[in-house]
Amino acid sequence: MVDSLRFSRSSSCRPDSRRTLLQWVPQFLSFHRTLLALIWALGFVFIIAWQRAAVDRFWGPPARSIPRLRPLVFNLADFGAVGDGITVNTNAFERAVSEIRRRGGGQLNVEAGRWLTAPFNLTSHMTLFLAQNAVILGIDIFKFQMEKGDSYRDNLLLLNPGSVICYEYRAPGEKTYNMRYFWMRQDENHWLLMPPLPSYGFGRERAGPRYGSLIHGQNLTDVVITGHNGTINGQGQTWWTKYRKNLLNYTRGPLLQLMWSRDILISDVTLRDSPFWTLHPYDCQNVTISNVTILAPLSGAPNTDGIDPDSCKDVLIEHSYISVGDDGIAIKSGWDQYGIAYGRPSANILIRNVVVRSMISAGVSIGSEMSGGVTNVTVENLLVWNSKRGIRIKTSAGRGGFVRHITYQNLTLDNVRVGIVIKTDYNEHPDEGYNPNALPLIEDIRFDGIRGQGVRIPVRIYGSQEIPVRNVSFKDMLVGITYKKKRIFQCSYVQGHVIGKIFPAPCENLDVYDEQGRLLRQSTSQSSDDTEYDP
């Protein structure tokens, strides 16, 4: 009995080590499983992060440091600039440029960020370097940003630029949100008015002064704008809207304009959404534009030409991509009687290895403002795709001047409505003072190595009795057309020749020679009209 009682006590009051162990093991294992899972997850994250860092280190592009291109180097932020897309940094740009001018030259680095500014000027012996992810923003007319991250426009009081407006907004059926709007009133008065260009008379779009460009320079030497593909953004949307609604009093300004300057290099940057022409060197010499991207909407962005060398000499445009709302490249030299009086031709221009898209106008144009003359131009290795026209020469009575010694070679036209256009009735004039008897000369135009597919009309040369097109030549041309049309190689008042076989067959205005220079067919009439209107 005693033994039984002891057994009972021992079994009820003293723990059984085996039962305790069995109860504790699952708890231990459950805790350790959780711990192991946590360690495994942390280890997995660590391994992934290590692998990504290793890939970035050994295989990815290294962080790009800003090179030192001049003895003196300045950073925009050192002059009080803030790259938040809200702070206006015009004073910082002006102070930096002033210091570079005072020191006889230097490099201004614009580091990563969104640097809002009104127009500012450059100086001689200056390099403007835009780092990777750096964006120079032209101030917009109205800019709102809500804390929510959405966009909302309301009838706000006209406060000072940079004002912050805080209030409550409740949409019907929704809870109340506290909104903060960064409001910036920016009208065109931030753009200084400048005299009209001397070769354009009273203004290109409106009589009188014109708005200046976002980045401007006059009478400069040794100017470089380059970087690690940073961006200059003109935020031209409001300019385009006001222009279409006829709300502007003066001619819009370009995004970047250099005048009466020499030794200019613009490379490795993106230019986009200009209010007007994007890059406009005017009466400049020794200009190189290389590895540049120029962008604007293909429609709804009027007159946003990509590059417009205007009365310039010794120009190289190469290795660039242009997709804009007007001509990709337009070579100019003044407008009617004003361009004739100014008398500065565009000469010695080489355009090579460029890709262009233009749904409104043409890939590469000459004119229509060419009254000072255009000569010695070579366009080679050009691709124009999904565009209205490939290349175009445009002029009219009243222009005067000349277009001569022009060579196009190794052109590719991909899905282009009209491939080659020469037009002599582009009747747009600055005022009633032009001389209708000032007739331009168009001569010595050579086409060699033209390829294409999906082209509606490969060639349209529209001379006139007053303005004939002389000495045009075609060689090695093979262009696929979209559908059969009665006249796909169109000519009017044209004199010239074809060497060898080309497709499509040339018009009757042109003589045909074989590869050895023997005449195979003489033109029946150089004044015959073999054109059809098809815009």
Side-chain angles (χ1 to χ4, degrees), residues 45-60:
V45 170
F46 173 78
I47 291 171
I48 294 298
W50 176 81
Q51 288 178 335
R52 182 170 296 178
V55 169
D56 290 342
R57 179 178 178 183
F58 295 105
W59 301 105

Side-chain angles (χ1 to χ4, degrees), residues 194 197 210 213 215-217 254-259 280-282:
M194 302 182 66
L197 294 170
R210 59 191 174 91
S213 56
I215 300 178
H216 189 80
L255 181 67
L256 172 56
Q257 184 179 58
L258 297 172
M259 304 173 60
H280 185 213
Y282 179 83

Side-chain angles (χ1 to χ4, degrees), residues 395-425:
T395 184
S396 71
R399 289 288 191 271
F402 51 83
V403 176
R404 61 190 178 206
H405 307 314
I406 314 296
T407 298
Y408 301 92
Q409 56 192 21
N410 299 329
L411 308 186
T412 301
L413 309 172
D414 185 3
N415 192 26
V416 174
R417 185 180 180 93
V418 185
I420 296 168
V421 180
I422 299 178
K423 183 179 178 65
T424 60
D425 60 350

Side-chain angles (χ1 to χ4, degrees), residues 246-514:
N246 200 26
L247 298 176
L248 294 172
N249 296 321
Y250 308 103
T251 299
R252 291 169 289 159
L255 181 67
L256 172 56
Q257 184 179 58
L258 297 172
M259 304 173 60
W260 305 303
S261 300
R262 61 177 299 134
D263 303 333
I264 298 164
L265 171 62
I266 301 172
S267 69
D268 301 290
V269 292
T270 295
L271 310 176
R272 67 177 306 143
D273 295 343
S274 173
F276 191 52
W277 301 341
T278 303
L279 175 50
H280 185 213
Y282 179 83
D283 199 353
C284 293
Q285 185 173 354
N286 192 21
V287 179
T288 298
I289 301 167
S290 181
N291 289 306
V292 169
T293 301
I294 301 179
L295 304 172
L298 294 170
S299 62
N303 310 111
T304 49
D305 296 5
I307 304 172
D308 287 10
D310 200 337
S311 294
C312 289
K313 190 164 92 171
D314 303 328
V315 178
L316 171 62
I317 301 171
E318 64 176 0
H319 307 306
S320 295
Y321 177 83
I322 304 171
S323 177
V324 290
D326 209 303
D327 291 315
I329 299 172
I331 302 171
K332 303 176 181 292
S333 64
W335 200 10
D336 285 6
Q337 70 270 30
Y338 304 104
I340 295 171
Y342 193 69
R344 304 281 204 286
S346 281
N348 308 331
I349 297 176
L350 173 59
I351 300 168
R352 65 187 181 192
N353 304 323
V354 175
V355 178
V356 185
R357 188 182 186 195
S358 171
M359 294 293 293
I360 301 297
S361 194
V364 176
S365 287
I366 296 176
S368 72
E369 307 92 331
M370 41 61 62
S371 301
V374 177
T375 185
N376 294 332
V377 175
T378 298
V379 180
E380 61 184 18
N381 302 331
L382 172 74
L383 168 62
V384 182
W385 68 288
N386 285 11
S387 297
K388 188 169 185 179
R389 304 174 187 91
I391 64 100
R392 178 164 64 161
I393 298 172
K394 46 185 177 177
T395 184
S396 71
R399 289 288 191 271
F402 51 83
V403 176
R404 61 190 178 206
H405 307 314
I406 314 296
T407 298
Y408 301 92
Q409 56 192 21
N410 299 329
L411 308 186
T412 301
L413 309 172
D414 185 3
N415 192 26
V416 174
R417 185 180 180 93
V418 185
I420 296 168
V421 180
I422 299 178
K423 183 179 178 65
T424 60
D425 60 350
Y426 202 85
N427 291 313
E428 185 182 8
H429 304 283
D431 52 48
E432 297 301 322
Y434 76 96
N435 178 9
N437 296 318
L439 303 176
L441 299 176
I442 305 176
E443 57 189 7
D444 300 330
I445 316 294
R446 184 171 71 92
F447 299 92
D448 188 356
I450 313 299
R451 296 291 182 269
Q453 63 178 358
V455 179
R456 184 168 182 167
I457 300 175
V459 178
R460 175 185 290 140
I461 302 177
Y462 190 76
S464 65
Q465 186 173 359
E466 296 80 15
I467 311 172
V469 180
R470 297 189 176 96
N471 197 23
V472 177
S473 68
F474 289 88
K475 181 182 179 182
D476 187 22
M477 178 174 178
L478 178 60
V479 176
I481 57 178
T482 54
Y483 62 92
K484 289 186 177 181
K485 190 178 178 69
K486 183 178 179 181
R487 297 183 178 90
I488 56 176
F489 198 118
Q490 301 182 7
C491 300
S492 172
Y493 291 93
V494 178
Q495 175 269 323
H497 61 274
V498 172
I499 300 175
K501 292 183 178 180
I502 66 171
F503 185 87
C507 60
E508 296 180 354
N509 304 56
L510 303 177
D511 300 331
V512 178
Y513 292 83
D514 64 13

